[in-house]
Amino acid sequence: MKNKIIVIFIILLIILLIPIRLQAKEGGTVEYRAFLYSVNNVHRIKDENTYYEGTIVKILGIEVYNNVK
């Protein structure tokens, strides 16, 4: 019984932590999203003279890091 609980816990942990790669349509932005966190590598053109680039990290939906410039 103890081994079954450990295996179930490991499977749930893997599901919560393994990210899925999502490609945005606006340019080169790539998002890696798991249930507990997400990481966005931003490469976005706003207009002819403005270009955003950087990283955004969210844990449980709360932004903890943002260096998009």
Side-chain angles (χ1 to χ4, degrees):
M1 183 64 179
K2 187 176 179 180
N3 288 338
K4 288 182 183 180
I5 292 174
I6 292 171
V7 169
I8 291 171
F9 178 76
I10 290 172
I11 290 171
L12 286 175
L13 188 64
I14 289 171
I15 290 172
L16 293 174
L17 294 177
I18 299 293
I20 297 172
R21 183 178 191 262
L22 304 169
Q23 183 79 33
K25 291 184 179 181
E26 86 271 345
T29 300
V30 178
E31 180 177 6
Y32 298 94
R33 183 183 294 175
F35 283 105
L36 296 179
Y37 67 94
S38 69
V39 176
N40 291 332
N41 292 325
V42 177
H43 302 284
R44 185 180 322 149
I45 298 173
K46 183 174 182 180
D47 56 36
E48 293 176 2
N49 300 321
T50 308
Y51 181 74
Y52 295 121
E53 187 173 37
T55 303
I56 301 171
V57 178
K58 294 181 181 178
I59 298 175
L60 297 174
I62 300 169
E63 190 173 292
V64 294
Y65 180 75
N66 184 344
N67 73 343
V68 176
K69 298 177 185 175

